[in-house]
């Protein structure tokens, strides 16, 4: 009986698909009040006065607070990724720095009344000059987001490795582009939600929070409010999507907690979609001036990119390091000996950027794959051939990248060749030529990816974050019936990791999958946890479950040894039965062992009672997954509309624990990549307003925009006990450049440059018809 | 959803709805709710009373006579889109209804609501204008029939009087109609749309042409010059091209998230050409 590798139905589905999920908004506690926020309509302004009188007169309003009145008594919000963060309180008192910044909050008996009260808060602002463009923010005389610093530049990282200057000097050809990866939003279907329940009599505080990892946030909360961590409980019930946006404690969430502590009553807040678009974190937003130095055969000699990361106005937990991930992943699967990468990080009057599925690496993949495509075109080399000439070959493994990352597995050329085969590359070329004769424009595009994931071993360079563990924990407790409850430190938001963890544990314990219950997301019951993000669920959390299960089996073996009057090392465990090696008739079942472990009726006190074990797994290194995508599109050159005709993804995620879940992760990642390629953009108008702040303007791809996807995979097990590689973010990396490359290919006869996404119809049309 | 305070009244009959709407200042009618509910959610409207007209009987039929296709105001846009009768007697309307948002919206949104809301991005106004349809309305002073050209007064404004409700529409039957729409994603509003309906004179020439544009600054911009160009012609390619250009010239397209005026204007020309050709093909086939 092996569970690993089986396409088992998800344990989570019957409940969630039947509408029986329990999200924060489903929770009700006695005496609960509801919050609504008053937010800045200006990108940059001084607050001259806040009048709460109207709110306080509103029937049903319990309390109202402004930053002007209360900020002095509120804590400052830190970042996890740097010693310094722009000073900020949960409600802003004096000056707002982006549209959506919370300046006041109203608490009322129900959510609608809270909005009624918030509507009657009167805030006067004195608008200040603002800056939205990162290049403008860096120029002299630009309005300063944080005037004390004297500059909008947050910092600069410049890595020069090998001899890029020489490579560019002697290059046969140089291809240069300014490439932009737009600002996007995570858009989880469940927006942010919090219910803070204080117990004034004991000093305890329970926070129900839609989040991606309660333990780290508990430590942060204790730190921020100077609370006793042992009296804090954070619970993530069902969470409807996070994608990186729920790793934070946000200012408005902290205001809710602050108010609950002030008033001593439970406070609940569920944000609106508009708030999620303005006050929930954004992502990406990089502009690269990038170039490749090439020899006459198309071999890449060096990569240079000087890029700017627009981080917005404040720091959330990962904000200042998100674009750093782009630097070291810019060479992807390609063998590029010399690099010159410079990143400038900039403050602007916008919401902060943060981690979002594929963060940093999706930007890198777009830049490297657009550049290689353009290089192939300019050199007249077939784009697949161009990539094959530059991909790290299997015989180069283990391969150390210029940035010091070590790739140990996979066959990158084979993945690409398989994608080309599945998409019918030669047939598509024929079809393209035929279509062009009748004025139709089909294009095919490729991209490969290398997903740095499994964040991140303690002490590793990739884990500079304060209060964010790289390890993961699991407690497995077996009851007298032999059924197991697994307390996982993961904190899924829909990934299906309960199922994956149960499959891992089922194989070790050799008990039916249905005899395993997985629970997660509660600091009261789970030993500790890093949570679910960065494609770490199986890679880190899966191994914690594996080690805990091995320990439980070892303990069970000791019990069985006592029962069978043999030494533990002579006990074999197979198919749920313990036997003495050499005498298979001397046997006890798992169930008998589990019962004896708790009641000690047969052997007496020969072992410590109980059958449970805890494991903390700290991975030895980060993990990598890789693959190749191919997209075929047709562009309606009259309207600019891009239609995806075919999409192929060939992925190497090592051992797939549950192929259905893995496919689902890849599907979802590609759907988000299609969004980035063709639809999604957080837009700011000249005043810094966010006209895209609703789903009628922010286009999220739905089932109707995502075509049928052809998936295939190759297996190169990772150097870990389970052989798994990360997969949660895989689909987001290569899909945007594959689609952009296909559009560029379709429009090759028009000499159109595809330097940015999303490739919405009007954008494509404007490119084809410059004024 | 956290809407402003309002009272809610369910009307069992048309008379009751008209009477409540007439007696309550600031009352608003709710049918499928696909526009009103989002407006309530954004607090863009603050009705004193929301009057649910969705349960009134007799307003959800599709019927046809020798010349006319009659569609009740409470017929959902999905029923229009799916109806074989509509597909046969007014393919323009079948096209336009099919083009509305996604099935979730079409299953709830109604013909009357789509017209009465008079959103310049709604699809049925242009289909009504191009078809030279009529709207039947019921108010405190009884029933009246409004010509399509007289219904829309401006964005989100109609000539319907206070407490006057659309009860149905009457469309001249025509197999030579088509609606072409460009939307960026299935559930998005359109960038632009063009409705065309043509009547032949029996000897290969066009006798009557109706062309109207969705997505302009007006609600359902009627392209009169383009109509005139088509009338009397046999819709040869150069006439179609000139009519398409004239359609684009007629509509003032606003610049926004969905594109620049320059792009949208070009798009109207492309869609107009496609819609005219398709209408002609259907007319020839029918």
């Amino acid at each position: 009986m092996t569970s690993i590798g089986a396409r088992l139905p998800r344990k989570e589905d019957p409940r969630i698909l039947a509408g029986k999920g329990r999200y924060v908004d489903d929770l009700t506690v006695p005496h609960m009040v509801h919050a609504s926020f008053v937010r800045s309509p200006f990108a940059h302004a001084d607050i001259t006065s806040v009048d709460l009188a109207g709110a306080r007169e509103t029937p049903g309003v319990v309390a109202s607070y402004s930053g002007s009145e209360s900020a002095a008594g509120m804590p400052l919000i830190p970042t996890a990724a740097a010693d310094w963060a722009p000073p900020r309180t949960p409600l802003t008192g004096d000056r707002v720095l982006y549209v959506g910044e919370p300046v006041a909050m109203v608490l009322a008996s129900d959510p609608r009344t809270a909005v009624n009260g918030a509507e009657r808060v009167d805030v006067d602002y004195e608008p200040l000059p603002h800056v939205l463009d990162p290049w403008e923010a860096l120029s002299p005389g630009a309005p300063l987001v944080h005037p004390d610093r004297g500059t909008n530049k947050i910092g600069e990282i410049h890595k020069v490795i090998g001899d890029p200057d020489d490579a560019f000097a002697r290059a046969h050809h140089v291809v240069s582009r300014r490439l932009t990866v737009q600002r996007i939003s995570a858009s989880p279907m469940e927006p942010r939600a919090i219910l803070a329940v204080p117990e004034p009599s004991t000093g305890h505080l329970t926070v129900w929070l839609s989040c991606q990892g309660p333990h780290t946030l508990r430590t942060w909360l204790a730190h921020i409010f100077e609370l006793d961590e042992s009296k804090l409980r954070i619970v993530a019930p069902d969470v409807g999507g996070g994608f990186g946006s729920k790793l934070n404690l946000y200012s408005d969430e902290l205001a809710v907690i602050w108010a609950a502590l002030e008033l001593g009553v439970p406070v609940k807040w569920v944000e609106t979609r508009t708030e999620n678009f303005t006050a929930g974190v954004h992502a990406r937003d990089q502009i690269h001036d990038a170039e490749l130095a090439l020899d006459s055969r198309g071999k890449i000699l060096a990569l240079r990119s000087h890029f700017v990361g627009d981080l917005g106005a404040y720091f959330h937990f990962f904000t200042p390091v998100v674009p750093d991930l782009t630097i070291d992943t810019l060479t992807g699967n390609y063998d590029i000996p010399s690099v010159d990468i410079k990143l400038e990080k900039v403050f602007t009057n916008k919401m902060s950027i943060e981690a979002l599925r594929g963060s940093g690496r999706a930007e890198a993949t777009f830049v490297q794959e657009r550049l290689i495509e353009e290089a192939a075109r300019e050199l007249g080399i077939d784009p697949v051939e161009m990539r094959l000439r530059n991909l790290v070959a299997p015989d180069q493994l283990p391969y150390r990248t210029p940035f010091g990352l070590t790739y140990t597995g996979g066959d990158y050329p084979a993945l690409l060749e398989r994608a080309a085969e599945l998409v019918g590359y030669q047939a598509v070329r024929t079809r393209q030529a035929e279509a062009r004769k009748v004025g139709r424009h089909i294009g095919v595009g490729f991209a490969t990816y290398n997903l740095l994931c499994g964040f991140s071993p303690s002490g590793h360079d990739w884990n500079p974050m304060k209060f964010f563990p790289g390890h993961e924990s699991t407690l497995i407790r077996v009851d007298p019936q032999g059924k197991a409850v697994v307390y996982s430190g993961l904190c899924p938001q829909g990934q299906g990791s309960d199922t994956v963890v149960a499959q891992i544990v089922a194989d070790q314990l050799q008990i039916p999958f249905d005899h395993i219950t997985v629970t997660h997301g509660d600091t009261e019951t789970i030993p500790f946890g890093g949570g679910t993000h960065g494609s770490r669920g199986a890679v880190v959390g899966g191994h914690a479950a594996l080690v805990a299960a091995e320990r439980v089996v070892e303990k069970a073996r000791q019990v069985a040894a006592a029962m069978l009057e043999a030494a533990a090392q002579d006990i074999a465990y197979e198919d749920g039965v313990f036997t003495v090696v050499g005498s298979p008739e001397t046997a006890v079942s798992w169930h008998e062992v589990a019962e004896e472990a708790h009641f000690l009726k047969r052997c007496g006190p020969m072992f410590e009672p109980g059958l449970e074990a805890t494991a903390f797994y700290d991975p030895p290194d980060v993990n990598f997954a890789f693959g190749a995508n191919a997209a075929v599109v047709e562009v309606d050159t009259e309207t600019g509309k891009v239609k995806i005709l075919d999409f192929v993804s060939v992925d190497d995620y090592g051992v797939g624990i549950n192929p259905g879940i893995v496919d689902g992760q890849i599907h979802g990642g590609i759907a988000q990549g299609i969004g980035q390629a063709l639809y999604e953009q957080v837009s700011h108008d000249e005043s810094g307003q966010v006209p895209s702040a609703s789903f009628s303007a922010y286009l999220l791809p739905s089932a109707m925009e995502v075509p049928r996807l052809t998936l295939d995979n190759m297996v190169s097990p990772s150097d870990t006990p389970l052989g798994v590689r990360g997969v949660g973010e895989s689909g987001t990396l290569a899909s945007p450049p594959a689609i952009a490359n296909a559009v560029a290919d379709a429009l090759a006869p028009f000499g159109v440059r595809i330097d940015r996404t999303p490739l919405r119809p009007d954008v494509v049309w404007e490119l084809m018809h410059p004024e | 959803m956290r809407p402003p305070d309002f009272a809610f009244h369910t009307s069992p009959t048309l008379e009751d709805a008209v009477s409540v709407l007439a007696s309550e200042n600031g009352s608003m009618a709710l049918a499928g709710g696909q526009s009103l509910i989002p407006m309530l959610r954004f607090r863009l409207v603050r009705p004193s009373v929301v009057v649910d007209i969705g349960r009134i009987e007799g307003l959800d039929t599709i019927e046809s006579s020798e010349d006319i296709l009659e569609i009740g105001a409470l017929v959902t846009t999905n029923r229009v889109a799916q109806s074989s009768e509509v597909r046969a007697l007014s393919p323009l309307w079948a096209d336009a209804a099919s083009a509305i948002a996604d099935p979730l919206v079409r299953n709830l949104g109604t013909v009357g609501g789509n017209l009465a809301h008079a959103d310049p991005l709604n699809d049925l106004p242009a289909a009504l204008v191009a078809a030279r349809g009529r709207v039947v309305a019921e108010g405190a002073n009884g029933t009246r029939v409004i010509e399509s050209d007289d219904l829309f007064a401006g964005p989100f404004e109609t000539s319907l009087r206070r407490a006057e409700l659309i009860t149905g529409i009457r469309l001249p039957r025509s197999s030579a109609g088509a609606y072409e729409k460009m939307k960026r994603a299935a559930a998005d509003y359109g960038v632009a749309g063009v409705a065309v309906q043509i009547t032949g004179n029996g000897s290969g020439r066009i006798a009557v042409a109706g062309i109207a544009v969705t997505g302009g600054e007006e609600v359902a911009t009627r392209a009169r010059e383009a109509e005139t160009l088509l009338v009397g012609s046999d819709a040869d390619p150069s006439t179609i091209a000139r009519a398409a250009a004239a359609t684009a010239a007629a509509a003032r397209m606003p610049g926004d998230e969905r594109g620049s005026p320059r792009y949208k204007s070009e798009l109207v020309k492309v869609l107009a050409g496609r819609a005219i050709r398709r209408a002609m093909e259907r007319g020839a086939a029918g």
Side-chain angles (χ1 to χ4, degrees):
Chain A
M1 178 184 72
T2 53
S3 222
I4 289 179
R7 197 177 278 264
L8 297 178
R10 301 192 338 158
K11 278 185 179 291
E12 297 86 342
D13 285 346
R15 197 171 54 81
I16 288 178
L17 296 182
K20 303 274 172 59
R22 193 177 59 150
Y23 299 86
V24 171
D25 199 23
D26 296 320
L27 304 174
T28 300
V29 296
H31 313 301
M32 175 170 90
V33 299
H34 299 262
S36 177
F37 287 93
V38 178
R39 298 179 180 279
S40 169
F42 292 101
H44 196 191
D46 280 328
I47 299 169
T48 53
S49 74
V50 182
D51 183 356
L52 298 171
R56 287 174 176 160
E57 287 163 8
T58 304
V61 167
V62 174
S64 56
Y65 302 100
S66 70
S68 304
E69 276 180 10
S70 305
M74 290 179 157
L76 289 174
I77 308 172
T79 177
D83 293 332
W84 179 86
R88 175 177 205 189
T89 47
L91 296 176
T92 299
D94 51 359
R95 180 176 287 179
V96 290
L97 302 184
Y98 66 94
V99 169
E101 186 165 351
V103 299
M105 80 187 294
V106 174
L107 305 174
S109 50
D110 67 273
R112 214 169 53 75
T113 304
V115 177
N116 290 349
E119 278 188 324
R120 296 185 59 192
V121 174
D122 198 4
V123 187
D124 284 333
Y125 297 92
E126 185 66 43
L128 296 165
H130 58 267
V131 62
L132 302 169
D133 178 81
W135 293 118
E136 192 192 326
L138 286 172
S139 61
L144 294 175
V145 180
H146 298 286
D148 303 356
R149 294 175 56 81
T151 172
N152 289 319
K153 187 160 158 176
I154 296 162
E156 178 180 309
I157 299 174
H158 195 175
K159 291 192 181 180
V160 178
I161 300 161
D163 195 346
D165 287 346
D166 177 64
F168 277 95
R170 65 188 169 82
H172 166 78
H173 189 75
V174 173
V175 56
S176 309
R177 291 289 186 276
R178 171 170 284 193
L179 299 167
T180 300
V181 179
Q182 79 274 23
R183 188 171 269 244
I184 58 176
S185 159
S187 304
M189 286 299 99
E190 183 206 16
R192 294 181 293 140
I194 181 170
L195 168 59
V197 185
E199 303 282 354
S201 59
T202 61
H204 282 76
L205 172 68
T206 301
V207 181
W208 302 80
L209 183 67
S210 180
C211 72
Q212 296 181 231
H215 288 86
T216 54
L217 299 184
R218 180 183 64 178
T219 307
W220 278 108
L221 260 189
H223 180 69
I224 291 167
F225 285 100
E226 297 178 1
L227 298 171
D228 189 345
E229 194 165 343
S230 62
K231 293 185 174 178
L232 262 177
R233 178 186 179 197
I234 304 191
V235 190
D238 284 324
V239 177
F243 310 107
S245 71
K246 291 177 180 171
L247 287 163
N248 279 292
L249 282 169
Y250 287 77
S251 57
D252 32 31
E253 293 168 346
L254 292 169
V256 166
I257 294 168
W258 179 85
L261 293 171
E262 275 293 294
L263 287 172
V265 301
V267 180
K268 182 173 176 177
W269 174 64
V270 179
E271 74 175 343
T272 64
R273 183 59 58 186
T274 313
E275 287 178 305
N276 186 266
F277 274 119
T278 53
V281 286
H282 300 154
R284 312 284 192 258
D285 210 347
Q286 295 182 2
I287 306 169
H288 289 248
D289 284 321
E291 49 188 356
L292 288 177
L294 301 132
D295 74 10
S296 58
R297 291 189 56 259
K299 178 78 184 79
I300 302 167
L301 307 172
L303 165 67
R304 176 180 284 144
S305 179
H306 290 185
F307 72 105
V308 58
D310 178 348
L311 302 193
Y314 290 110
F315 288 172
H316 282 73
F317 278 1
F318 297 95
T319 304
V321 296
V322 167
D324 298 8
L325 259 177
T326 302
I327 299 174
D328 288 10
T329 54
L330 260 169
T331 54
N333 289 332
Y334 297 100
D335 178 22
I336 302 176
S338 294
V339 292
D340 168 2
I341 315 293
K342 186 170 90 172
L343 161 63
E344 290 178 274
K345 296 185 260 195
V346 186
F347 284 122
T348 58
N349 291 114
K350 299 182 199 162
M351 181 59 194
S352 314
I353 66 110
E354 251 295 340
L356 196 171
R357 199 175 193 177
S359 60
R361 296 144 294 169
E363 296 92 315
T365 310
F366 184 79
V367 169
Q368 99 214 173
E369 286 293 350
R370 274 308 293 131
L371 272 183
I372 288 171
E373 185 79 12
E374 292 301 300
R377 197 175 313 286
E378 290 185 9
L379 289 170
I381 299 173
D382 178 90
V384 172
E385 174 58 27
M386 174 79 190
R387 288 179 172 84
L388 292 175
R389 289 180 193 176
N390 286 286
L391 285 168
V392 171
D395 64 9
Q396 289 177 279
L397 299 175
Y399 173 85
R400 195 172 155 84
T401 74
F403 304 102
L405 300 169
T406 302
Y407 299 167
T408 57
D411 186 337
Y412 316 141
L415 287 159
L416 176 63
E417 285 172 324
R418 179 74 178 135
E421 181 191 337
L422 282 173
V423 84
Y425 184 40
Q426 292 314 319
V428 173
R429 286 281 178 227
T430 307
R431 189 172 156 203
Q432 176 181 49
E434 293 299 316
R436 274 182 188 156
K437 288 180 195 161
V438 294
R440 292 178 58 186
H441 295 87
I442 291 170
V444 55
F446 293 89
T448 72
Y449 71 86
N450 189 308
L451 176 74
L452 167 65
C453 62
F455 300 97
S456 221
S458 304
H460 193 281
D461 287 353
W462 284 110
N463 192 1
M465 251 60 72
K466 192 175 178 184
F467 301 158
F468 272 92
H471 56 76
E472 196 50 87
S473 83
T474 301
L475 160 64
I476 300 175
R477 185 171 287 153
V478 179
D479 66 24
Q481 290 184 330
K483 295 180 180 172
V485 180
V486 182
Y487 300 84
S488 169
L490 295 173
C491 185
Q493 313 108 52
Q495 287 87 350
S497 62
D498 286 0
T499 301
V500 168
V501 164
Q503 288 181 255
I504 293 167
V505 171
D507 279 1
Q508 294 302 315
L509 267 44
Q510 301 178 31
I511 62 176
F513 176 72
D514 292 342
H515 288 187
I516 297 168
T517 302
V518 182
T519 181
H520 60 253
D522 186 346
T523 60
E524 193 98 315
T525 55
I526 310 296
F528 201 68
T532 297
H533 54 92
S535 304
R536 71 192 297 279
V539 170
V540 189
H543 282 105
L546 174 73
V547 176
E550 286 170 349
R551 289 179 184 167
V552 168
V553 171
E554 277 320 298
K555 174 66 188 291
R557 196 186 306 277
Q558 290 170 25
V559 176
M563 294 170 77
L564 298 173
E565 298 174 355
Q569 66 265 28
D570 293 334
I571 300 294
Y573 183 48
E574 209 169 326
D575 296 334
V577 178
F578 293 91
T579 54
V580 177
V581 174
S583 51
E585 69 286 357
T586 315
V588 283
S589 70
W590 173 262
H591 180 186
E592 290 171 303
V593 166
E595 196 172 289
E596 180 64 12
H598 289 87
F599 299 115
L600 298 88
K601 293 298 179 199
R602 284 166 64 168
C603 316
M606 292 176 64
F607 48 84
E608 183 184 346
L611 187 51
E612 65 177 63
T614 301
F616 281 74
Y617 178 82
D618 203 7
D621 201 350
V622 290
N623 199 290
F624 299 91
F626 18 82
N629 288 180
V632 181
V633 303
E634 177 166 2
V635 182
D636 181 337
T637 53
E638 289 188 319
T639 65
K641 190 162 183 176
V642 175
K643 183 177 185 203
I644 301 172
L645 302 178
D646 198 6
F647 195 98
V648 170
S649 185
V650 184
D651 301 274
D652 187 341
Y653 39 80
V655 173
I657 294 171
N658 184 318
I661 286 178
V662 166
D663 285 355
Q665 285 293 318
I666 293 170
H667 279 136
I670 292 170
Q672 282 187 305
I674 288 171
Q676 183 177 322
L678 297 179
Y679 300 105
E680 299 181 42
Q681 173 149 37
V682 174
S683 57
H684 290 82
D685 67 13
E686 284 174 10
S687 70
Q689 303 293 319
V690 187
S692 61
S694 82
F695 280 134
S696 72
Y698 190 89
L699 300 181
L700 203 63
S702 71
M704 287 169 281
E705 280 73 40
V706 180
R708 186 169 183 83
L709 307 171
T710 302
L711 304 188
D712 193 16
N713 72 305
M714 295 185 174
V715 182
S716 59
S718 66
D719 305 326
T720 64
L722 289 168
V724 292
R725 300 178 180 279
V727 73
E729 299 165 287
S730 296
T732 60
L733 301 193
S735 49
I739 292 165
N741 287 342
V743 173
D745 185 54
L747 298 181
F750 300 89
V752 166
R753 278 198 177 186
I754 304 294
D755 292 339
R756 59 168 61 227
T757 46
L759 295 166
R760 290 176 170 181
D762 63 312
V763 172
V764 172
W765 186 89
E766 299 279 355
L767 285 172
M768 297 180 64
H769 302 86
E771 276 186 272
Chain B
M1 179 164 116
R2 297 153 205 179
D5 297 326
F6 61 85
F8 191 78
H9 174 81
T10 303
S11 281
T13 62
L14 191 57
E15 294 68 34
D16 177 80
V18 168
S19 125
V20 174
L21 288 165
S23 63
E24 289 285 343
N25 266 329
S27 54
M28 295 183 81
L30 171 76
Q34 297 307 288
S35 302
L36 182 57
I37 287 174
M39 290 196 298
L40 285 169
R41 172 254 186 263
F42 284 109
R43 298 194 171 207
L44 294 172
V45 291
R46 293 167 186 272
S48 56
V49 184
V50 170
V51 180
D52 180 5
I53 60 170
R55 320 219 167 171
I56 297 170
E57 286 179 17
L59 300 182
D60 61 348
T61 54
I62 299 175
E63 286 169 355
S64 55
S65 62
E66 200 171 326
D67 309 317
I68 298 290
L69 173 67
E70 209 161 344
I71 303 176
L74 290 179
V75 173
T76 65
T77 49
N78 198 38
R79 268 187 65 210
V80 177
Q82 302 287 331
S83 159
S84 53
E85 197 172 0
V86 176
R87 176 57 65 192
L89 305 181
S90 180
L92 162 61
W93 266 68
D95 281 1
S98 309
I100 294 167
D102 58 27
L104 304 176
V105 171
R106 292 198 292 273
N107 275 331
L108 289 166
T110 63
V111 167
N114 193 293
L115 292 169
H117 184 48
D119 186 331
L121 289 170
N122 276 1
D123 299 287
L124 298 185
L128 184 78
V129 169
R132 304 274 206 279
R134 291 178 173 138
V135 160
V136 184
E138 180 85 21
N141 299 326
T143 307
R144 68 182 179 125
V145 176
I146 306 169
E147 296 291 334
S148 59
D149 282 346
D150 300 330
L151 181 63
F152 302 106
F156 307 100
E157 281 179 40
T158 65
S159 59
L160 290 167
R161 296 169 189 145
R162 201 163 97 75
E164 195 172 38
L165 291 167
I166 296 176
T167 57
I169 57 162
R170 293 177 187 164
L171 302 171
R173 291 169 50 160
S174 167
S175 63
Y179 185 69
E180 287 282 344
K181 178 184 185 181
M182 225 302 275
K183 49 182 177 177
R184 302 175 302 169
D188 190 26
Y189 280 107
V191 183
V194 177
V196 172
Q197 188 157 305
I198 280 160
T199 310
N201 69 354
S203 56
R205 303 253 160 202
I206 292 172
V208 182
I211 303 179
V213 178
T214 301
E217 287 177 3
E218 304 169 39
V219 184
T221 313
R222 189 169 158 194
R224 291 173 192 274
E225 196 192 325
E227 291 173 356
T228 308
L229 281 167
L230 286 181
V231 171
S233 81
D234 59 357
D236 56 289
S238 88
T239 305
I240 291 177
R242 281 188 294 135
T247 305
R252 288 191 310 277
M253 304 302 287
D256 57 24
E257 288 270 302
R258 293 178 178 81
S260 64
R262 194 173 73 101
Y263 166 65
K264 288 188 184 179
S265 188
E266 175 66 20
L267 189 60
V268 169
K269 190 173 92 185
V270 169
L271 297 175
R274 291 180 183 180
I276 296 167
R277 281 192 294 275
R278 193 129 71 95
M280 292 302 294
E281 284 163 23
R282 283 173 172 169

